[in-house]
Amino acid sequence: MNVPSDLRASRQFGDSRPPHQVSFEFFPPKTDAMEERFWDSVTKLAPLHPRFVSVTYGAGGTTRERTLRMVSQIQSQTGVNAAAHLTCVGASKAEVDAVVRGYKEAGISRIVAVRGDPPEGVGKPFVPHPEGYRSAAELVEGIRRIGDFDISVSAYPEKHPQAPSWDVEIDNLKRKFDLGATRAITQMFFENADYFRFVERAQKAGITQSIVPGIQPIHSFKQISGFASRCGASIPHWLAERFDGLDDDPETHALVASAVAAEQVLELVDEGITEFHFYTLNRSNLVLALARLLGVRPD
Ligand code: FAD
């Protein structure tokens, strides 16, 4: 079939569509009920052949065992590559290195390496452990010394709240790549223009590796606004307006959430983006629908 050449990228289909790569982030469940939902979602998303499924790490190592168990089980039960997150806050280098060796022994070859936040929250200054890694960049360097891991690091389209300037922010990302990171995954953002400006700044600084947009579907506007304000991501007025008054109307809330996420993702596709990381919050429905819009379907 002939495809008109002026077709928007998001409307290309079949073989004419560029292949899209997706990855999915989960958090380690705390209770049996949460674990059931976790596995239900993993089982529904695994047949989409994500590049990897990642499991977060409680900042102070609070989920160390659970993260390792979930990641190992995802890999053995679904055959999907799993990535374990790792932080260096509140731990010595020796302790962090032991976790990395544990991942290696368990056959985990992918790590999402981040610094983590102090237990008091992201607003408080980060004080490194006296014998610990002092930043994500140092953590990446330490991981590389131990093994040939695929390492993802963070990036902040709106600047990390603790970065004194854009130069420091971009230098920090460059350093993480120079020390061995494979790709960056962004913090959630809702204005695509912020992401594109960030990528441009990074490219100007000589960064050539992928900066994968981190997409946060809005299952609960109230909850996501809270997360966003804690991690320095802004909620645009137009977005707040779309969800205004929907707290007690879950059906309309869900439909608006899916329209908002679809608009964001398809606009990114139209601008040439082909890789996406989804913050699933251990739910599959919205992410399944978004993957379908990207042409990513189960076998
Ligand atoms: P870094 O890259 O070390 O940098 C943090 C900030 O400090 C940057 O703004 C940087 O510019 C600044 N900085 C670094 N070095 C210097 C320097 N020498 N001088 C001045 N400024 C400097 N948290 C968890 O607890 N568990 C997780 O599993 C987790 N996963 C995440 C996954 C992704 C994709 C993202 C985006 C975040 C994740 N986080 C997680 C949150 C993360 O821990 C926090 O955002 C934390 O505040 C910063 O971590 P980082 O790796 O970005 O730090």
Side-chain angles (χ1 to χ4, degrees), residues 128-163:
H129 184 285
E131 286 151 30
Y133 294 112
R134 286 169 302 170
S135 65
E138 288 192 6
L139 175 61
V140 169
E141 193 177 24
I143 295 169
R144 272 270 166 265
R145 273 197 291 266
I146 296 172
D148 183 23
F149 290 93
D150 171 292
I151 305 174
S152 299
V153 292
S154 63
Y156 299 89
E158 297 180 74
K159 197 150 72 57
H160 187 278
Q162 285 158 356

PDB file of all heavy atoms in Angstrom, residues 128-163:
ATOM      1  N   PRO A 128      26.224  13.148  51.474  1.00  0.00           N
ATOM      2  CA  PRO A 128      26.677  11.794  51.146  1.00  0.00           C
ATOM      3  C   PRO A 128      27.133  11.039  52.381  1.00  0.00           C
ATOM      4  O   PRO A 128      27.566  11.651  53.372  1.00  0.00           O
ATOM      5  CB  PRO A 128      27.850  12.017  50.184  1.00  0.00           C
ATOM      6  CG  PRO A 128      28.124  13.465  50.144  1.00  0.00           C
ATOM      7  CD  PRO A 128      27.094  14.195  50.930  1.00  0.00           C
ATOM      8  N   HIS A 129      27.021   9.728  52.349  1.00  0.00           N
ATOM      9  CA  HIS A 129      27.592   8.880  53.395  1.00  0.00           C
ATOM     10  C   HIS A 129      29.104   9.148  53.418  1.00  0.00           C
ATOM     11  O   HIS A 129      29.718   9.308  52.355  1.00  0.00           O
ATOM     12  CB  HIS A 129      27.283   7.420  53.016  1.00  0.00           C
ATOM     13  CG  HIS A 129      27.712   6.424  54.045  1.00  0.00           C
ATOM     14  ND1 HIS A 129      29.028   6.062  54.238  1.00  0.00           N
ATOM     15  CD2 HIS A 129      26.989   5.701  54.933  1.00  0.00           C
ATOM     16  CE1 HIS A 129      29.099   5.161  55.209  1.00  0.00           C
ATOM     17  NE2 HIS A 129      27.870   4.931  55.650  1.00  0.00           N
ATOM     18  N   PRO A 130      29.727   9.205  54.622  1.00  0.00           N
ATOM     19  CA  PRO A 130      31.158   9.554  54.660  1.00  0.00           C
ATOM     20  C   PRO A 130      32.030   8.625  53.798  1.00  0.00           C
ATOM     21  O   PRO A 130      33.067   9.048  53.274  1.00  0.00           O
ATOM     22  CB  PRO A 130      31.522   9.423  56.147  1.00  0.00           C
ATOM     23  CG  PRO A 130      30.299   8.918  56.858  1.00  0.00           C
ATOM     24  CD  PRO A 130      29.134   9.057  55.944  1.00  0.00           C
ATOM     25  N   GLU A 131      31.594   7.377  53.657  1.00  0.00           N
ATOM     26  CA  GLU A 131      32.391   6.476  52.794  1.00  0.00           C
ATOM     27  C   GLU A 131      31.611   6.087  51.537  1.00  0.00           C
ATOM     28  O   GLU A 131      31.821   5.025  50.959  1.00  0.00           O
ATOM     29  CB  GLU A 131      32.755   5.210  53.580  1.00  0.00           C
ATOM     30  CG  GLU A 131      33.825   5.447  54.625  1.00  0.00           C
ATOM     31  CD  GLU A 131      33.696   4.496  55.796  1.00  0.00           C
ATOM     32  OE1 GLU A 131      33.211   3.367  55.584  1.00  0.00           O
ATOM     33  OE2 GLU A 131      34.058   4.895  56.908  1.00  0.00           O
ATOM     34  N   GLY A 132      30.678   6.964  51.142  1.00  0.00           N
ATOM     35  CA  GLY A 132      29.795   6.578  50.036  1.00  0.00           C
ATOM     36  C   GLY A 132      30.092   7.294  48.731  1.00  0.00           C
ATOM     37  O   GLY A 132      30.960   8.174  48.655  1.00  0.00           O
ATOM     38  N   TYR A 133      29.373   6.908  47.691  1.00  0.00           N
ATOM     39  CA  TYR A 133      29.403   7.639  46.425  1.00  0.00           C
ATOM     40  C   TYR A 133      28.686   8.958  46.649  1.00  0.00           C
ATOM     41  O   TYR A 133      27.639   9.002  47.294  1.00  0.00           O
ATOM     42  CB  TYR A 133      28.710   6.827  45.324  1.00  0.00           C
ATOM     43  CG  TYR A 133      29.438   5.538  44.978  1.00  0.00           C
ATOM     44  CD1 TYR A 133      28.882   4.289  45.267  1.00  0.00           C
ATOM     45  CD2 TYR A 133      30.680   5.579  44.362  1.00  0.00           C
ATOM     46  CE1 TYR A 133      29.548   3.115  44.948  1.00  0.00           C
ATOM     47  CE2 TYR A 133      31.365   4.409  44.037  1.00  0.00           C
ATOM     48  CZ  TYR A 133      30.785   3.187  44.333  1.00  0.00           C
ATOM     49  OH  TYR A 133      31.456   2.033  44.022  1.00  0.00           O
ATOM     50  N   ARG A 134      29.231  10.045  46.085  1.00  0.00           N
ATOM     51  CA  ARG A 134      28.671  11.369  46.384  1.00  0.00           C
ATOM     52  C   ARG A 134      27.654  11.851  45.357  1.00  0.00           C
ATOM     53  O   ARG A 134      27.021  12.874  45.539  1.00  0.00           O
ATOM     54  CB  ARG A 134      29.817  12.385  46.504  1.00  0.00           C
ATOM     55  CG  ARG A 134      30.601  12.230  47.800  1.00  0.00           C
ATOM     56  CD  ARG A 134      31.847  13.047  47.771  1.00  0.00           C
ATOM     57  NE  ARG A 134      32.684  12.656  46.624  1.00  0.00           N
ATOM     58  CZ  ARG A 134      33.748  13.313  46.222  1.00  0.00           C
ATOM     59  NH1 ARG A 134      34.103  14.430  46.818  1.00  0.00           N
ATOM     60  NH2 ARG A 134      34.459  12.890  45.189  1.00  0.00           N
ATOM     61  N   SER A 135      27.533  11.122  44.269  1.00  0.00           N
ATOM     62  CA  SER A 135      26.576  11.538  43.221  1.00  0.00           C
ATOM     63  C   SER A 135      26.293  10.339  42.326  1.00  0.00           C
ATOM     64  O   SER A 135      26.996   9.315  42.392  1.00  0.00           O
ATOM     65  CB  SER A 135      27.184  12.651  42.366  1.00  0.00           C
ATOM     66  OG  SER A 135      28.303  12.132  41.676  1.00  0.00           O
ATOM     67  N   ALA A 136      25.288  10.507  41.477  1.00  0.00           N
ATOM     68  CA  ALA A 136      24.970   9.429  40.539  1.00  0.00           C
ATOM     69  C   ALA A 136      26.152   9.175  39.600  1.00  0.00           C
ATOM     70  O   ALA A 136      26.417   8.036  39.215  1.00  0.00           O
ATOM     71  CB  ALA A 136      23.723   9.788  39.746  1.00  0.00           C
ATOM     72  N   ALA A 137      26.877  10.257  39.252  1.00  0.00           N
ATOM     73  CA  ALA A 137      28.020  10.080  38.351  1.00  0.00           C
ATOM     74  C   ALA A 137      29.053   9.136  38.973  1.00  0.00           C
ATOM     75  O   ALA A 137      29.550   8.212  38.319  1.00  0.00           O
ATOM     76  CB  ALA A 137      28.647  11.441  38.039  1.00  0.00           C
ATOM     77  N   GLU A 138      29.347   9.358  40.261  1.00  0.00           N
ATOM     78  CA  GLU A 138      30.306   8.473  40.938  1.00  0.00           C
ATOM     79  C   GLU A 138      29.757   7.051  41.023  1.00  0.00           C
ATOM     80  O   GLU A 138      30.497   6.073  40.929  1.00  0.00           O
ATOM     81  CB  GLU A 138      30.611   8.997  42.352  1.00  0.00           C
ATOM     82  CG  GLU A 138      31.465  10.235  42.345  1.00  0.00           C
ATOM     83  CD  GLU A 138      31.996  10.577  43.745  1.00  0.00           C
ATOM     84  OE1 GLU A 138      31.797   9.798  44.702  1.00  0.00           O
ATOM     85  OE2 GLU A 138      32.617  11.654  43.865  1.00  0.00           O
ATOM     86  N   LEU A 139      28.445   6.956  41.216  1.00  0.00           N
ATOM     87  CA  LEU A 139      27.827   5.624  41.287  1.00  0.00           C
ATOM     88  C   LEU A 139      27.991   4.883  39.952  1.00  0.00           C
ATOM     89  O   LEU A 139      28.342   3.694  39.933  1.00  0.00           O
ATOM     90  CB  LEU A 139      26.339   5.780  41.647  1.00  0.00           C
ATOM     91  CG  LEU A 139      25.486   4.509  41.657  1.00  0.00           C
ATOM     92  CD1 LEU A 139      25.994   3.501  42.685  1.00  0.00           C
ATOM     93  CD2 LEU A 139      24.010   4.858  41.960  1.00  0.00           C
ATOM     94  N   VAL A 140      27.788   5.601  38.863  1.00  0.00           N
ATOM     95  CA  VAL A 140      27.949   4.988  37.534  1.00  0.00           C
ATOM     96  C   VAL A 140      29.380   4.467  37.383  1.00  0.00           C
ATOM     97  O   VAL A 140      29.613   3.332  36.945  1.00  0.00           O
ATOM     98  CB  VAL A 140      27.631   6.026  36.409  1.00  0.00           C
ATOM     99  CG1 VAL A 140      28.055   5.511  35.042  1.00  0.00           C
ATOM    100  CG2 VAL A 140      26.145   6.376  36.410  1.00  0.00           C
ATOM    101  N   GLU A 141      30.331   5.298  37.810  1.00  0.00           N
ATOM    102  CA  GLU A 141      31.740   4.903  37.706  1.00  0.00           C
ATOM    103  C   GLU A 141      31.997   3.623  38.511  1.00  0.00           C
ATOM    104  O   GLU A 141      32.679   2.696  38.064  1.00  0.00           O
ATOM    105  CB  GLU A 141      32.604   6.058  38.218  1.00  0.00           C
ATOM    106  CG  GLU A 141      34.061   5.934  37.897  1.00  0.00           C
ATOM    107  CD  GLU A 141      34.849   7.165  38.379  1.00  0.00           C
ATOM    108  OE1 GLU A 141      34.384   7.865  39.324  1.00  0.00           O
ATOM    109  OE2 GLU A 141      35.918   7.419  37.821  1.00  0.00           O
ATOM    110  N   GLY A 142      31.409   3.579  39.723  1.00  0.00           N
ATOM    111  CA  GLY A 142      31.582   2.408  40.590  1.00  0.00           C
ATOM    112  C   GLY A 142      30.975   1.155  39.971  1.00  0.00           C
ATOM    113  O   GLY A 142      31.573   0.067  40.013  1.00  0.00           O
ATOM    114  N   ILE A 143      29.789   1.299  39.383  1.00  0.00           N
ATOM    115  CA  ILE A 143      29.121   0.142  38.765  1.00  0.00           C
ATOM    116  C   ILE A 143      29.966  -0.384  37.607  1.00  0.00           C
ATOM    117  O   ILE A 143      30.153  -1.593  37.450  1.00  0.00           O
ATOM    118  CB  ILE A 143      27.698   0.529  38.273  1.00  0.00           C
ATOM    119  CG1 ILE A 143      26.799   0.892  39.455  1.00  0.00           C
ATOM    120  CG2 ILE A 143      27.072  -0.592  37.451  1.00  0.00           C
ATOM    121  CD1 ILE A 143      25.458   1.532  39.067  1.00  0.00           C
ATOM    122  N   ARG A 144      30.468   0.525  36.796  1.00  0.00           N
ATOM    123  CA  ARG A 144      31.288   0.138  35.637  1.00  0.00           C
ATOM    124  C   ARG A 144      32.531  -0.666  36.057  1.00  0.00           C
ATOM    125  O   ARG A 144      32.981  -1.529  35.330  1.00  0.00           O
ATOM    126  CB  ARG A 144      31.749   1.385  34.882  1.00  0.00           C
ATOM    127  CG  ARG A 144      30.811   1.857  33.854  1.00  0.00           C
ATOM    128  CD  ARG A 144      31.086   1.207  32.471  1.00  0.00           C
ATOM    129  NE  ARG A 144      29.945   1.439  31.594  1.00  0.00           N
ATOM    130  CZ  ARG A 144      28.939   0.597  31.415  1.00  0.00           C
ATOM    131  NH1 ARG A 144      28.944  -0.587  31.993  1.00  0.00           N
ATOM    132  NH2 ARG A 144      27.934   0.886  30.628  1.00  0.00           N
ATOM    133  N   ARG A 145      33.068  -0.317  37.249  1.00  0.00           N
ATOM    134  CA  ARG A 145      34.250  -1.054  37.731  1.00  0.00           C
ATOM    135  C   ARG A 145      33.897  -2.510  38.001  1.00  0.00           C
ATOM    136  O   ARG A 145      34.738  -3.385  37.925  1.00  0.00           O
ATOM    137  CB  ARG A 145      34.803  -0.412  39.009  1.00  0.00           C
ATOM    138  CG  ARG A 145      35.794   0.715  38.742  1.00  0.00           C
ATOM    139  CD  ARG A 145      36.621   1.037  39.981  1.00  0.00           C
ATOM    140  NE  ARG A 145      35.797   1.650  41.031  1.00  0.00           N
ATOM    141  CZ  ARG A 145      35.668   2.964  41.204  1.00  0.00           C
ATOM    142  NH1 ARG A 145      36.334   3.799  40.431  1.00  0.00           N
ATOM    143  NH2 ARG A 145      34.909   3.449  42.151  1.00  0.00           N
ATOM    144  N   ILE A 146      32.625  -2.772  38.325  1.00  0.00           N
ATOM    145  CA  ILE A 146      32.222  -4.119  38.733  1.00  0.00           C
ATOM    146  C   ILE A 146      31.782  -4.982  37.547  1.00  0.00           C
ATOM    147  O   ILE A 146      32.004  -6.186  37.516  1.00  0.00           O
ATOM    148  CB  ILE A 146      31.103  -4.034  39.806  1.00  0.00           C
ATOM    149  CG1 ILE A 146      31.668  -3.368  41.051  1.00  0.00           C
ATOM    150  CG2 ILE A 146      30.522  -5.411  40.130  1.00  0.00           C
ATOM    151  CD1 ILE A 146      30.649  -3.050  42.120  1.00  0.00           C
ATOM    152  N   GLY A 147      31.171  -4.369  36.557  1.00  0.00           N
ATOM    153  CA  GLY A 147      30.703  -5.208  35.453  1.00  0.00           C
ATOM    154  C   GLY A 147      30.236  -4.401  34.267  1.00  0.00           C
ATOM    155  O   GLY A 147      30.075  -3.182  34.331  1.00  0.00           O
ATOM    156  N   ASP A 148      29.979  -5.126  33.200  1.00  0.00           N
ATOM    157  CA  ASP A 148      29.595  -4.483  31.944  1.00  0.00           C
ATOM    158  C   ASP A 148      28.071  -4.332  31.896  1.00  0.00           C
ATOM    159  O   ASP A 148      27.391  -4.990  31.115  1.00  0.00           O
ATOM    160  CB  ASP A 148      30.104  -5.360  30.786  1.00  0.00           C
ATOM    161  CG  ASP A 148      29.813  -4.718  29.454  1.00  0.00           C
ATOM    162  OD1 ASP A 148      29.647  -3.485  29.416  1.00  0.00           O
ATOM    163  OD2 ASP A 148      29.725  -5.460  28.456  1.00  0.00           O
ATOM    164  N   PHE A 149      27.530  -3.477  32.764  1.00  0.00           N
ATOM    165  CA  PHE A 149      26.077  -3.304  32.844  1.00  0.00           C
ATOM    166  C   PHE A 149      25.580  -2.295  31.802  1.00  0.00           C
ATOM    167  O   PHE A 149      26.331  -1.410  31.382  1.00  0.00           O
ATOM    168  CB  PHE A 149      25.692  -2.768  34.230  1.00  0.00           C
ATOM    169  CG  PHE A 149      25.874  -3.765  35.345  1.00  0.00           C
ATOM    170  CD1 PHE A 149      27.048  -3.820  36.079  1.00  0.00           C
ATOM    171  CD2 PHE A 149      24.860  -4.654  35.664  1.00  0.00           C
ATOM    172  CE1 PHE A 149      27.213  -4.733  37.113  1.00  0.00           C
ATOM    173  CE2 PHE A 149      25.008  -5.567  36.692  1.00  0.00           C
ATOM    174  CZ  PHE A 149      26.189  -5.603  37.419  1.00  0.00           C
ATOM    175  N   ASP A 150      24.322  -2.449  31.427  1.00  0.00           N
ATOM    176  CA  ASP A 150      23.607  -1.410  30.685  1.00  0.00           C
ATOM    177  C   ASP A 150      23.097  -0.452  31.774  1.00  0.00           C
ATOM    178  O   ASP A 150      22.342  -0.870  32.652  1.00  0.00           O
ATOM    179  CB  ASP A 150      22.444  -2.070  29.920  1.00  0.00           C
ATOM    180  CG  ASP A 150      21.489  -1.080  29.274  1.00  0.00           C
ATOM    181  OD1 ASP A 150      20.768  -0.376  30.024  1.00  0.00           O
ATOM    182  OD2 ASP A 150      21.426  -1.047  28.040  1.00  0.00           O
ATOM    183  N   ILE A 151      23.558   0.799  31.741  1.00  0.00           N
ATOM    184  CA  ILE A 151      23.229   1.716  32.847  1.00  0.00           C
ATOM    185  C   ILE A 151      22.375   2.888  32.361  1.00  0.00           C
ATOM    186  O   ILE A 151      22.789   3.650  31.481  1.00  0.00           O
ATOM    187  CB  ILE A 151      24.516   2.275  33.507  1.00  0.00           C
ATOM    188  CG1 ILE A 151      25.437   1.129  33.956  1.00  0.00           C
ATOM    189  CG2 ILE A 151      24.163   3.179  34.685  1.00  0.00           C
ATOM    190  CD1 ILE A 151      26.787   1.596  34.489  1.00  0.00           C
ATOM    191  N   SER A 152      21.186   3.019  32.954  1.00  0.00           N
ATOM    192  CA  SER A 152      20.355   4.190  32.676  1.00  0.00           C
ATOM    193  C   SER A 152      20.532   5.180  33.826  1.00  0.00           C
ATOM    194  O   SER A 152      20.672   4.768  34.987  1.00  0.00           O
ATOM    195  CB  SER A 152      18.867   3.803  32.603  1.00  0.00           C
ATOM    196  OG  SER A 152      18.641   2.875  31.573  1.00  0.00           O
ATOM    197  N   VAL A 153      20.525   6.468  33.486  1.00  0.00           N
ATOM    198  CA  VAL A 153      20.612   7.509  34.523  1.00  0.00           C
ATOM    199  C   VAL A 153      19.461   8.493  34.344  1.00  0.00           C
ATOM    200  O   VAL A 153      18.744   8.437  33.342  1.00  0.00           O
ATOM    201  CB  VAL A 153      21.972   8.265  34.467  1.00  0.00           C
ATOM    202  CG1 VAL A 153      23.123   7.362  34.878  1.00  0.00           C
ATOM    203  CG2 VAL A 153      22.205   8.872  33.081  1.00  0.00           C
ATOM    204  N   SER A 154      19.322   9.398  35.299  1.00  0.00           N
ATOM    205  CA  SER A 154      18.202  10.349  35.263  1.00  0.00           C
ATOM    206  C   SER A 154      18.560  11.604  34.475  1.00  0.00           C
ATOM    207  O   SER A 154      19.741  11.940  34.327  1.00  0.00           O
ATOM    208  CB  SER A 154      17.872  10.766  36.689  1.00  0.00           C
ATOM    209  OG  SER A 154      19.014  11.423  37.207  1.00  0.00           O
ATOM    210  N   ALA A 155      17.532  12.292  34.004  1.00  0.00           N
ATOM    211  CA  ALA A 155      17.708  13.613  33.386  1.00  0.00           C
ATOM    212  C   ALA A 155      16.463  14.435  33.726  1.00  0.00           C
ATOM    213  O   ALA A 155      15.382  13.864  33.921  1.00  0.00           O
ATOM    214  CB  ALA A 155      17.858  13.478  31.875  1.00  0.00           C
ATOM    215  N   TYR A 156      16.629  15.749  33.786  1.00  0.00           N
ATOM    216  CA  TYR A 156      15.548  16.608  34.287  1.00  0.00           C
ATOM    217  C   TYR A 156      15.228  17.730  33.292  1.00  0.00           C
ATOM    218  O   TYR A 156      15.905  18.760  33.277  1.00  0.00           O
ATOM    219  CB  TYR A 156      15.956  17.198  35.649  1.00  0.00           C
ATOM    220  CG  TYR A 156      16.198  16.104  36.664  1.00  0.00           C
ATOM    221  CD1 TYR A 156      17.460  15.525  36.799  1.00  0.00           C
ATOM    222  CD2 TYR A 156      15.153  15.599  37.415  1.00  0.00           C
ATOM    223  CE1 TYR A 156      17.668  14.476  37.680  1.00  0.00           C
ATOM    224  CE2 TYR A 156      15.353  14.553  38.301  1.00  0.00           C
ATOM    225  CZ  TYR A 156      16.612  13.999  38.423  1.00  0.00           C
ATOM    226  OH  TYR A 156      16.811  12.950  39.289  1.00  0.00           O
ATOM    227  N   PRO A 157      14.193  17.545  32.479  1.00  0.00           N
ATOM    228  CA  PRO A 157      13.848  18.570  31.472  1.00  0.00           C
ATOM    229  C   PRO A 157      13.548  19.930  32.080  1.00  0.00           C
ATOM    230  O   PRO A 157      13.671  20.952  31.407  1.00  0.00           O
ATOM    231  CB  PRO A 157      12.598  17.998  30.799  1.00  0.00           C
ATOM    232  CG  PRO A 157      12.656  16.536  31.057  1.00  0.00           C
ATOM    233  CD  PRO A 157      13.362  16.363  32.370  1.00  0.00           C
ATOM    234  N   GLU A 158      13.154  19.960  33.371  1.00  0.00           N
ATOM    235  CA  GLU A 158      12.891  21.253  34.010  1.00  0.00           C
ATOM    236  C   GLU A 158      14.004  21.608  34.996  1.00  0.00           C
ATOM    237  O   GLU A 158      13.822  22.457  35.836  1.00  0.00           O
ATOM    238  CB  GLU A 158      11.539  21.220  34.724  1.00  0.00           C
ATOM    239  CG  GLU A 158      10.379  21.001  33.778  1.00  0.00           C
ATOM    240  CD  GLU A 158       9.052  20.967  34.503  1.00  0.00           C
ATOM    241  OE1 GLU A 158       8.579  22.025  34.917  1.00  0.00           O
ATOM    242  OE2 GLU A 158       8.490  19.857  34.659  1.00  0.00           O
ATOM    243  N   LYS A 159      15.123  20.915  34.947  1.00  0.00           N
ATOM    244  CA  LYS A 159      16.265  21.108  35.854  1.00  0.00           C
ATOM    245  C   LYS A 159      15.940  20.476  37.200  1.00  0.00           C
ATOM    246  O   LYS A 159      14.840  20.614  37.711  1.00  0.00           O
ATOM    247  CB  LYS A 159      16.577  22.609  36.007  1.00  0.00           C
ATOM    248  CG  LYS A 159      17.929  22.926  36.559  1.00  0.00           C
ATOM    249  CD  LYS A 159      18.461  24.269  36.033  1.00  0.00           C
ATOM    250  CE  LYS A 159      17.809  25.517  36.558  1.00  0.00           C
ATOM    251  NZ  LYS A 159      17.832  25.680  37.995  1.00  0.00           N
ATOM    252  N   HIS A 160      16.946  19.793  37.767  1.00  0.00           N
ATOM    253  CA  HIS A 160      16.759  19.215  39.096  1.00  0.00           C
ATOM    254  C   HIS A 160      16.620  20.350  40.105  1.00  0.00           C
ATOM    255  O   HIS A 160      17.332  21.367  40.006  1.00  0.00           O
ATOM    256  CB  HIS A 160      17.965  18.330  39.432  1.00  0.00           C
ATOM    257  CG  HIS A 160      17.808  17.564  40.706  1.00  0.00           C
ATOM    258  ND1 HIS A 160      18.068  18.118  41.938  1.00  0.00           N
ATOM    259  CD2 HIS A 160      17.389  16.304  40.945  1.00  0.00           C
ATOM    260  CE1 HIS A 160      17.826  17.219  42.879  1.00  0.00           C
ATOM    261  NE2 HIS A 160      17.415  16.097  42.295  1.00  0.00           N
ATOM    262  N   PRO A 161      15.724  20.191  41.099  1.00  0.00           N
ATOM    263  CA  PRO A 161      15.532  21.317  42.045  1.00  0.00           C
ATOM    264  C   PRO A 161      16.823  21.763  42.727  1.00  0.00           C
ATOM    265  O   PRO A 161      16.932  22.916  43.155  1.00  0.00           O
ATOM    266  CB  PRO A 161      14.555  20.745  43.089  1.00  0.00           C
ATOM    267  CG  PRO A 161      13.972  19.504  42.501  1.00  0.00           C
ATOM    268  CD  PRO A 161      14.849  19.055  41.367  1.00  0.00           C
ATOM    269  N   GLN A 162      17.813  20.861  42.834  1.00  0.00           N
ATOM    270  CA  GLN A 162      19.054  21.261  43.523  1.00  0.00           C
ATOM    271  C   GLN A 162      20.129  21.785  42.580  1.00  0.00           C
ATOM    272  O   GLN A 162      21.207  22.166  43.040  1.00  0.00           O
ATOM    273  CB  GLN A 162      19.615  20.064  44.304  1.00  0.00           C
ATOM    274  CG  GLN A 162      18.815  19.800  45.564  1.00  0.00           C
ATOM    275  CD  GLN A 162      18.978  18.385  46.075  1.00  0.00           C
ATOM    276  OE1 GLN A 162      19.632  17.548  45.464  1.00  0.00           O
ATOM    277  NE2 GLN A 162      18.364  18.107  47.212  1.00  0.00           N
ATOM    278  N   ALA A 163      19.858  21.795  41.283  1.00  0.00           N
ATOM    279  CA  ALA A 163      20.900  22.261  40.350  1.00  0.00           C
ATOM    280  C   ALA A 163      20.935  23.790  40.371  1.00  0.00           C
ATOM    281  O   ALA A 163      19.921  24.443  40.147  1.00  0.00           O
ATOM    282  CB  ALA A 163      20.601  21.779  38.940  1.00  0.00           C
TER     283      ALA A 163
END
